[in-house]
Short mmCIF file of all heavy atoms in Angstrom, two decimals:
data_model
loop_
_atom_site.label_atom_id
_atom_site.label_comp_id
_atom_site.label_asym_id
_atom_site.label_seq_id
_atom_site.Cartn_x
_atom_site.Cartn_y
_atom_site.Cartn_z
N ILE A 243 5.24 -9.68 60.00
CA ILE A 243 5.26 -9.00 61.24
C ILE A 243 5.39 -7.46 61.00
O ILE A 243 6.32 -7.04 60.31
CB ILE A 243 6.38 -9.47 62.14
CG1 ILE A 243 6.19 -10.99 62.45
CG2 ILE A 243 6.47 -8.72 63.50
CD1 ILE A 243 7.44 -11.78 62.54
N LEU A 244 4.44 -6.77 61.48
CA LEU A 244 4.42 -5.32 61.30
C LEU A 244 4.78 -4.64 62.63
O LEU A 244 4.32 -5.03 63.71
CB LEU A 244 3.03 -4.84 60.86
CG LEU A 244 2.43 -5.53 59.64
CD1 LEU A 244 1.05 -4.98 59.33
CD2 LEU A 244 3.28 -5.35 58.40
N GLY A 245 5.64 -3.64 62.58
CA GLY A 245 6.07 -2.99 63.80
C GLY A 245 6.81 -3.99 64.70
O GLY A 245 7.49 -4.91 64.22
N GLU A 246 6.58 -3.80 65.99
CA GLU A 246 7.29 -4.62 66.90
C GLU A 246 6.69 -6.04 66.98
O GLU A 246 7.36 -7.04 66.92
CB GLU A 246 7.24 -4.01 68.37
CG GLU A 246 8.13 -2.76 68.49
CD GLU A 246 9.56 -2.91 68.03
OE1 GLU A 246 10.17 -3.87 68.54
OE2 GLU A 246 10.07 -2.14 67.17
N ASP A 247 5.38 -6.08 67.14
CA ASP A 247 4.76 -7.37 67.41
C ASP A 247 3.39 -7.63 66.77
O ASP A 247 2.70 -8.53 67.15
CB ASP A 247 4.66 -7.53 68.96
CG ASP A 247 3.97 -6.35 69.56
OD1 ASP A 247 3.47 -5.49 68.80
OD2 ASP A 247 3.88 -6.26 70.81
N ASN A 248 3.05 -6.81 65.80
CA ASN A 248 1.74 -7.02 65.13
C ASN A 248 1.90 -8.06 64.07
O ASN A 248 2.39 -7.80 62.96
CB ASN A 248 1.26 -5.69 64.62
CG ASN A 248 -0.08 -5.86 63.89
OD1 ASN A 248 -0.76 -6.92 63.98
ND2 ASN A 248 -0.53 -4.85 63.14
N GLU A 249 1.57 -9.31 64.40
CA GLU A 249 1.76 -10.41 63.45
C GLU A 249 0.42 -10.68 62.71
O GLU A 249 -0.59 -10.97 63.36
CB GLU A 249 2.22 -11.66 64.14
CG GLU A 249 2.56 -12.75 63.17
CD GLU A 249 3.07 -14.02 63.89
OE1 GLU A 249 2.61 -14.33 64.97
OE2 GLU A 249 3.98 -14.70 63.28
N ILE A 250 0.51 -10.61 61.40
CA ILE A 250 -0.72 -10.97 60.64
C ILE A 250 -0.49 -12.35 60.09
O ILE A 250 0.47 -12.55 59.27
CB ILE A 250 -1.01 -9.96 59.52
CG1 ILE A 250 -1.24 -8.58 60.07
CG2 ILE A 250 -2.22 -10.39 58.70
CD1 ILE A 250 -1.46 -7.47 59.03
N LYS A 251 -1.32 -13.27 60.41
CA LYS A 251 -1.21 -14.65 59.91
C LYS A 251 -1.59 -14.64 58.41
O LYS A 251 -2.73 -14.25 58.10
CB LYS A 251 -2.03 -15.65 60.73
CG LYS A 251 -1.53 -15.88 62.12
CD LYS A 251 -0.46 -16.93 62.03
CE LYS A 251 0.06 -17.29 63.42
NZ LYS A 251 1.36 -18.06 63.31
N SER A 252 -0.69 -15.16 57.58
CA SER A 252 -1.02 -15.17 56.17
C SER A 252 -0.10 -16.20 55.47
O SER A 252 1.09 -16.20 55.74
CB SER A 252 -0.89 -13.83 55.52
OG SER A 252 -0.90 -13.92 54.14
N SER A 253 -0.70 -16.99 54.54
CA SER A 253 0.14 -17.90 53.80
C SER A 253 0.66 -17.23 52.50
O SER A 253 1.45 -17.83 51.77
CB SER A 253 -0.63 -19.14 53.43
OG SER A 253 -1.11 -19.76 54.56
N THR A 254 0.15 -16.03 52.18
CA THR A 254 0.56 -15.37 50.97
C THR A 254 0.91 -13.90 51.22
O THR A 254 0.06 -13.03 51.32
CB THR A 254 -0.61 -15.39 49.92
OG1 THR A 254 -1.15 -16.76 49.91
CG2 THR A 254 -0.11 -15.04 48.55
N VAL A 255 2.21 -13.70 51.34
CA VAL A 255 2.71 -12.35 51.50
C VAL A 255 3.38 -11.91 50.22
O VAL A 255 4.24 -12.65 49.69
CB VAL A 255 3.76 -12.27 52.67
CG1 VAL A 255 4.34 -10.81 52.77
CG2 VAL A 255 3.09 -12.65 54.00
N ILE A 256 2.88 -10.83 49.62
CA ILE A 256 3.41 -10.44 48.26
C ILE A 256 4.30 -9.24 48.45
O ILE A 256 3.89 -8.23 49.02
CB ILE A 256 2.22 -10.14 47.35
CG1 ILE A 256 1.27 -11.32 47.29
CG2 ILE A 256 2.67 -9.73 45.97
CD1 ILE A 256 -0.12 -11.06 46.74
N TRP A 257 5.55 -9.34 47.98
CA TRP A 257 6.52 -8.29 48.28
C TRP A 257 6.64 -7.34 47.10
O TRP A 257 7.09 -7.71 46.00
CB TRP A 257 7.88 -8.94 48.55
CG TRP A 257 8.84 -7.95 49.11
CD1 TRP A 257 9.75 -7.24 48.46
CD2 TRP A 257 8.99 -7.61 50.48
NE1 TRP A 257 10.47 -6.43 49.33
CE2 TRP A 257 9.97 -6.65 50.63
CE3 TRP A 257 8.27 -8.03 51.65
CZ2 TRP A 257 10.34 -6.08 51.81
CZ3 TRP A 257 8.69 -7.46 52.87
CH2 TRP A 257 9.72 -6.50 52.93
N THR A 258 6.22 -6.09 47.27
CA THR A 258 6.38 -5.11 46.21
C THR A 258 7.04 -3.85 46.77
O THR A 258 6.80 -2.72 46.25
CB THR A 258 5.02 -4.75 45.58
OG1 THR A 258 4.25 -4.04 46.54
CG2 THR A 258 4.28 -5.92 45.09
N ALA A 259 7.80 -3.98 47.81
CA ALA A 259 8.23 -2.84 48.62
C ALA A 259 9.40 -2.03 48.00
O ALA A 259 9.65 -0.92 48.36
CB ALA A 259 8.65 -3.25 50.03
N GLY A 260 10.09 -2.60 47.06
CA GLY A 260 11.15 -1.81 46.42
C GLY A 260 11.93 -2.62 45.43
O GLY A 260 11.77 -3.86 45.33
N VAL A 261 12.75 -1.93 44.60
CA VAL A 261 13.49 -2.65 43.59
C VAL A 261 14.94 -2.26 43.64
O VAL A 261 15.31 -1.17 44.14
CB VAL A 261 12.97 -2.43 42.15
CG1 VAL A 261 11.58 -3.03 42.00
CG2 VAL A 261 12.90 -0.94 41.86
N GLU A 262 15.79 -3.05 43.09
CA GLU A 262 17.25 -2.75 42.87
C GLU A 262 17.63 -3.35 41.55
O GLU A 262 16.87 -4.08 40.92
CB GLU A 262 18.07 -3.38 43.99
CG GLU A 262 17.95 -4.93 44.06
CD GLU A 262 18.63 -5.48 45.30
OE1 GLU A 262 18.48 -4.90 46.43
OE2 GLU A 262 19.30 -6.51 45.19
N GLY A 263 18.81 -2.95 41.05
CA GLY A 263 19.29 -3.40 39.78
C GLY A 263 19.37 -4.91 39.67
O GLY A 263 19.46 -5.63 40.71
N SER A 264 19.33 -5.50 38.47
CA SER A 264 19.36 -6.88 38.26
C SER A 264 20.63 -7.54 38.91
O SER A 264 21.61 -6.77 39.16
CB SER A 264 19.38 -7.22 36.77
OG SER A 264 20.54 -6.72 36.21
N ASP A 265 20.63 -8.84 39.06
CA ASP A 265 21.75 -9.54 39.66
C ASP A 265 23.04 -9.22 38.91
O ASP A 265 24.07 -8.98 39.51
CB ASP A 265 21.55 -11.08 39.59
CG ASP A 265 20.55 -11.46 40.65
OD1 ASP A 265 20.51 -10.81 41.76
OD2 ASP A 265 19.78 -12.43 40.41
N LEU A 266 22.94 -9.23 37.57
CA LEU A 266 24.10 -9.02 36.73
C LEU A 266 24.72 -7.63 37.05
O LEU A 266 25.88 -7.46 37.31
CB LEU A 266 23.77 -9.11 35.28
CG LEU A 266 24.93 -8.79 34.32
CD1 LEU A 266 25.92 -9.92 34.29
CD2 LEU A 266 24.44 -8.53 32.91
N VAL A 267 23.84 -6.59 36.98
CA VAL A 267 24.33 -5.25 37.15
C VAL A 267 25.07 -5.07 38.49
O VAL A 267 26.10 -4.45 38.63
CB VAL A 267 23.16 -4.22 36.96
CG1 VAL A 267 23.55 -2.82 37.51
CG2 VAL A 267 22.82 -4.08 35.54
N GLY A 268 24.42 -5.64 39.55
CA GLY A 268 25.02 -5.62 40.87
C GLY A 268 26.42 -6.06 40.92
O GLY A 268 27.22 -5.57 41.72
N ASN A 269 26.80 -7.01 40.09
CA ASN A 269 28.17 -7.61 40.09
C ASN A 269 29.15 -6.97 39.11
O ASN A 269 30.26 -7.37 38.98
CB ASN A 269 28.11 -9.11 39.82
CG ASN A 269 27.30 -9.81 40.92
OD1 ASN A 269 27.35 -9.36 42.07
ND2 ASN A 269 26.59 -10.82 40.55
N LEU A 270 28.65 -6.02 38.34
CA LEU A 270 29.53 -5.44 37.29
C LEU A 270 30.57 -4.47 37.88
O LEU A 270 30.28 -3.77 38.81
CB LEU A 270 28.70 -4.77 36.22
CG LEU A 270 27.83 -5.64 35.35
CD1 LEU A 270 27.02 -4.84 34.34
CD2 LEU A 270 28.63 -6.76 34.67
N ASP A 271 31.70 -4.45 37.13
CA ASP A 271 32.76 -3.58 37.59
C ASP A 271 32.67 -2.18 36.93
O ASP A 271 33.43 -1.79 36.08
CB ASP A 271 34.11 -4.26 37.20
CG ASP A 271 35.25 -3.50 37.77
OD1 ASP A 271 35.08 -2.73 38.66
OD2 ASP A 271 36.39 -3.71 37.23
N VAL A 272 31.54 -1.51 37.25
CA VAL A 272 31.32 -0.16 36.75
C VAL A 272 30.75 0.68 37.93
O VAL A 272 30.16 0.06 38.79
CB VAL A 272 30.27 -0.05 35.61
CG1 VAL A 272 30.88 -0.40 34.25
CG2 VAL A 272 29.06 -0.86 35.87
N GLN A 273 30.88 1.98 37.82
CA GLN A 273 30.40 2.83 38.90
C GLN A 273 28.89 2.73 39.03
O GLN A 273 28.20 2.85 38.00
CB GLN A 273 30.80 4.27 38.71
CG GLN A 273 32.30 4.49 38.94
CD GLN A 273 32.62 5.94 38.87
OE1 GLN A 273 32.09 6.73 39.65
NE2 GLN A 273 33.51 6.33 37.96
N GLN A 274 28.39 2.54 40.25
CA GLN A 274 26.95 2.45 40.42
C GLN A 274 26.48 3.42 41.52
O GLN A 274 27.25 3.79 42.39
CB GLN A 274 26.59 1.02 40.82
CG GLN A 274 27.03 0.02 39.79
CD GLN A 274 26.64 -1.39 40.08
OE1 GLN A 274 25.79 -1.63 40.92
NE2 GLN A 274 27.21 -2.36 39.38
N GLN A 275 25.23 3.73 41.46
CA GLN A 275 24.66 4.59 42.48
C GLN A 275 23.20 4.20 42.68
O GLN A 275 22.66 3.49 41.83
CB GLN A 275 24.76 6.05 42.09
CG GLN A 275 25.18 6.94 43.23
CD GLN A 275 25.59 8.33 42.80
OE1 GLN A 275 26.47 8.46 41.93
NE2 GLN A 275 24.99 9.37 43.31
N GLY A 276 22.54 4.73 43.71
CA GLY A 276 21.13 4.33 43.97
C GLY A 276 21.22 2.85 44.31
O GLY A 276 22.23 2.35 44.74
N ARG A 277 20.14 2.13 44.07
CA ARG A 277 20.24 0.70 44.32
C ARG A 277 20.66 -0.10 43.09
O ARG A 277 19.84 -0.49 42.31
CB ARG A 277 18.80 0.17 44.79
CG ARG A 277 18.47 0.68 46.16
CD ARG A 277 17.17 0.06 46.65
NE ARG A 277 16.40 1.03 47.35
CZ ARG A 277 15.10 1.31 47.12
NH1 ARG A 277 14.50 0.62 46.20
NH2 ARG A 277 14.50 2.18 47.85
N LYS A 278 21.96 -0.25 43.01
CA LYS A 278 22.58 -0.98 41.87
C LYS A 278 22.12 -0.47 40.51
O LYS A 278 21.70 -1.21 39.64
CB LYS A 278 22.26 -2.46 42.01
CG LYS A 278 22.74 -3.09 43.32
CD LYS A 278 22.44 -4.56 43.31
CE LYS A 278 22.76 -5.15 44.64
NZ LYS A 278 22.31 -6.49 44.81
N ARG A 279 22.24 0.85 40.32
CA ARG A 279 22.00 1.44 39.01
C ARG A 279 23.35 1.95 38.47
O ARG A 279 24.16 2.42 39.20
CB ARG A 279 20.99 2.56 39.13
CG ARG A 279 19.60 2.06 39.56
CD ARG A 279 18.71 3.23 39.97
NE ARG A 279 18.16 3.93 38.83
CZ ARG A 279 17.28 4.93 38.97
NH1 ARG A 279 16.81 5.24 40.14
NH2 ARG A 279 16.84 5.59 37.93
#
Side-chain angles (χ1 to χ4, degrees):
I243 298 145
L244 307 178
E246 291 306 308
D247 52 5
N248 179 10
E249 185 177 35
I250 300 179
K251 288 279 185 193
S252 167
S253 303
T254 315
V255 176
I256 304 163
W257 193 265
T258 67
V261 291
E262 61 188 41
S264 65
D265 285 327
L266 175 75
V267 165
N269 296 326
L270 292 180
D271 186 18
V272 280
Q273 287 187 60
Q274 301 183 16
Q275 221 168 307
R277 290 188 218 128
K278 301 182 185 169
R279 296 167 75 175

